[in-house]
PDB file of all heavy atoms in Angstrom:
ATOM      1  N   LEU A 467      61.977  -2.815 153.402  1.00 98.00           N
ATOM      2  CA  LEU A 467      61.255  -3.915 152.761  1.00 98.00           C
ATOM      3  C   LEU A 467      60.217  -3.410 151.764  1.00 98.00           C
ATOM      4  O   LEU A 467      59.414  -2.531 152.075  1.00 98.00           O
ATOM      5  CB  LEU A 467      60.566  -4.784 153.808  1.00 98.00           C
ATOM      6  CG  LEU A 467      61.406  -5.895 154.462  1.00 98.00           C
ATOM      7  CD1 LEU A 467      60.617  -6.563 155.575  1.00 98.00           C
ATOM      8  CD2 LEU A 467      61.861  -6.924 153.436  1.00 98.00           C
ATOM      9  N   GLN A 468      60.246  -3.989 150.575  1.00 98.00           N
ATOM     10  CA  GLN A 468      59.258  -3.682 149.541  1.00 98.00           C
ATOM     11  C   GLN A 468      58.392  -4.897 149.200  1.00 98.00           C
ATOM     12  O   GLN A 468      57.249  -4.726 148.775  1.00 98.00           O
ATOM     13  CB  GLN A 468      59.964  -3.194 148.274  1.00 98.00           C
ATOM     14  CG  GLN A 468      60.730  -1.903 148.453  1.00 98.00           C
ATOM     15  CD  GLN A 468      61.400  -1.461 147.169  1.00 98.00           C
ATOM     16  OE1 GLN A 468      61.069  -1.938 146.070  1.00 98.00           O
ATOM     17  NE2 GLN A 468      62.366  -0.556 147.270  1.00 98.00           N
ATOM     18  N   HIS A 469      58.936  -6.094 149.376  1.00 98.00           N
ATOM     19  CA  HIS A 469      58.204  -7.319 149.045  1.00 98.00           C
ATOM     20  C   HIS A 469      58.363  -8.307 150.195  1.00 98.00           C
ATOM     21  O   HIS A 469      59.485  -8.650 150.572  1.00 98.00           O
ATOM     22  CB  HIS A 469      58.734  -7.938 147.746  1.00 98.00           C
ATOM     23  CG  HIS A 469      58.739  -6.984 146.590  1.00 98.00           C
ATOM     24  ND1 HIS A 469      57.591  -6.686 145.874  1.00 98.00           N
ATOM     25  CD2 HIS A 469      59.736  -6.249 146.034  1.00 98.00           C
ATOM     26  CE1 HIS A 469      57.897  -5.811 144.923  1.00 98.00           C
ATOM     27  NE2 HIS A 469      59.184  -5.536 144.995  1.00 98.00           N
ATOM     28  N   LEU A 470      57.241  -8.767 150.734  1.00 98.00           N
ATOM     29  CA  LEU A 470      57.265  -9.667 151.883  1.00 98.00           C
ATOM     30  C   LEU A 470      56.247 -10.780 151.675  1.00 98.00           C
ATOM     31  O   LEU A 470      55.075 -10.522 151.387  1.00 98.00           O
ATOM     32  CB  LEU A 470      56.939  -8.895 153.168  1.00 98.00           C
ATOM     33  CG  LEU A 470      56.895  -9.707 154.466  1.00 98.00           C
ATOM     34  CD1 LEU A 470      58.240 -10.353 154.758  1.00 98.00           C
ATOM     35  CD2 LEU A 470      56.462  -8.820 155.627  1.00 98.00           C
ATOM     36  N   SER A 471      56.706 -12.019 151.827  1.00 98.00           N
ATOM     37  CA  SER A 471      55.819 -13.181 151.714  1.00 98.00           C
ATOM     38  C   SER A 471      55.784 -13.928 153.033  1.00 98.00           C
ATOM     39  O   SER A 471      56.812 -14.434 153.501  1.00 98.00           O
ATOM     40  CB  SER A 471      56.296 -14.120 150.599  1.00 98.00           C
ATOM     41  OG  SER A 471      55.519 -15.307 150.589  1.00 98.00           O
ATOM     42  N   LEU A 472      54.597 -14.002 153.629  1.00 98.00           N
ATOM     43  CA  LEU A 472      54.377 -14.742 154.874  1.00 98.00           C
ATOM     44  C   LEU A 472      53.317 -15.819 154.676  1.00 98.00           C
ATOM     45  O   LEU A 472      52.682 -16.250 155.633  1.00 98.00           O
ATOM     46  CB  LEU A 472      53.948 -13.779 155.989  1.00 98.00           C
ATOM     47  CG  LEU A 472      54.936 -12.657 156.344  1.00 98.00           C
ATOM     48  CD1 LEU A 472      54.315 -11.712 157.356  1.00 98.00           C
ATOM     49  CD2 LEU A 472      56.239 -13.222 156.864  1.00 98.00           C
ATOM     50  N   GLY A 473      53.133 -16.254 153.450  1.00 97.00           N
ATOM     51  CA  GLY A 473      52.121 -17.271 153.179  1.00 97.00           C
ATOM     52  C   GLY A 473      52.381 -18.564 153.930  1.00 97.00           C
ATOM     53  O   GLY A 473      53.511 -19.043 153.981  1.00 97.00           O
ATOM     54  N   SER A 474      51.331 -19.113 154.527  1.00 97.00           N
ATOM     55  CA  SER A 474      51.388 -20.396 155.232  1.00 97.00           C
ATOM     56  C   SER A 474      52.427 -20.428 156.348  1.00 97.00           C
ATOM     57  O   SER A 474      53.026 -21.471 156.624  1.00 97.00           O
ATOM     58  CB  SER A 474      51.658 -21.543 154.246  1.00 97.00           C
ATOM     59  OG  SER A 474      50.570 -21.727 153.382  1.00 97.00           O
ATOM     60  N   CYS A 475      52.653 -19.299 157.002  1.00 97.00           N
ATOM     61  CA  CYS A 475      53.510 -19.264 158.195  1.00 97.00           C
ATOM     62  C   CYS A 475      52.610 -19.493 159.408  1.00 97.00           C
ATOM     63  O   CYS A 475      51.991 -18.551 159.928  1.00 97.00           O
ATOM     64  CB  CYS A 475      54.242 -17.931 158.291  1.00 97.00           C
ATOM     65  SG  CYS A 475      55.495 -17.694 157.015  1.00 97.00           S
ATOM     66  N   VAL A 476      52.546 -20.734 159.858  1.00 95.00           N
ATOM     67  CA  VAL A 476      51.506 -21.139 160.812  1.00 95.00           C
ATOM     68  C   VAL A 476      51.880 -20.865 162.264  1.00 95.00           C
ATOM     69  O   VAL A 476      51.046 -21.051 163.158  1.00 95.00           O
ATOM     70  CB  VAL A 476      51.182 -22.634 160.636  1.00 95.00           C
ATOM     71  CG1 VAL A 476      50.627 -22.901 159.252  1.00 95.00           C
ATOM     72  CG2 VAL A 476      52.416 -23.492 160.896  1.00 95.00           C
ATOM     73  N   MET A 477      53.112 -20.440 162.535  1.00 96.00           N
ATOM     74  CA  MET A 477      53.540 -20.273 163.926  1.00 96.00           C
ATOM     75  C   MET A 477      53.398 -18.847 164.426  1.00 96.00           C
ATOM     76  O   MET A 477      53.861 -18.512 165.507  1.00 96.00           O
ATOM     77  CB  MET A 477      54.982 -20.757 164.079  1.00 96.00           C
ATOM     78  CG  MET A 477      55.173 -22.218 163.721  1.00 96.00           C
ATOM     79  SD  MET A 477      56.779 -22.878 164.138  1.00 96.00           S
ATOM     80  CE  MET A 477      56.687 -22.922 165.934  1.00 96.00           C
ATOM     81  N   ILE A 478      52.758 -17.986 163.645  1.00 97.00           N
ATOM     82  CA  ILE A 478      52.522 -16.599 164.067  1.00 97.00           C
ATOM     83  C   ILE A 478      51.166 -16.525 164.758  1.00 97.00           C
ATOM     84  O   ILE A 478      50.136 -16.840 164.165  1.00 97.00           O
ATOM     85  CB  ILE A 478      52.585 -15.644 162.857  1.00 97.00           C
ATOM     86  CG1 ILE A 478      53.975 -15.696 162.232  1.00 97.00           C
ATOM     87  CG2 ILE A 478      52.225 -14.219 163.271  1.00 97.00           C
ATOM     88  CD1 ILE A 478      54.106 -14.926 160.944  1.00 97.00           C
ATOM     89  N   GLU A 479      51.166 -16.097 166.020  1.00 95.00           N
ATOM     90  CA  GLU A 479      49.931 -16.144 166.813  1.00 95.00           C
ATOM     91  C   GLU A 479      48.999 -14.967 166.550  1.00 95.00           C
ATOM     92  O   GLU A 479      47.777 -15.110 166.592  1.00 95.00           O
ATOM     93  CB  GLU A 479      50.271 -16.166 168.313  1.00 95.00           C
ATOM     94  CG  GLU A 479      51.107 -17.359 168.755  1.00 95.00           C
ATOM     95  CD  GLU A 479      52.599 -17.042 168.719  1.00 95.00           C
ATOM     96  OE1 GLU A 479      52.950 -15.920 168.275  1.00 95.00           O
ATOM     97  OE2 GLU A 479      53.396 -17.904 169.108  1.00 95.00           O
TER      98      GLU A 479
END
Side-chain angles (χ1 to χ4, degrees):
L467 275 174
Q468 297 180 16
H469 306 281
L470 179 61
S471 174
L472 300 174
S474 293
C475 291
V476 298
M477 300 189 70
I478 298 173
E479 300 93 356

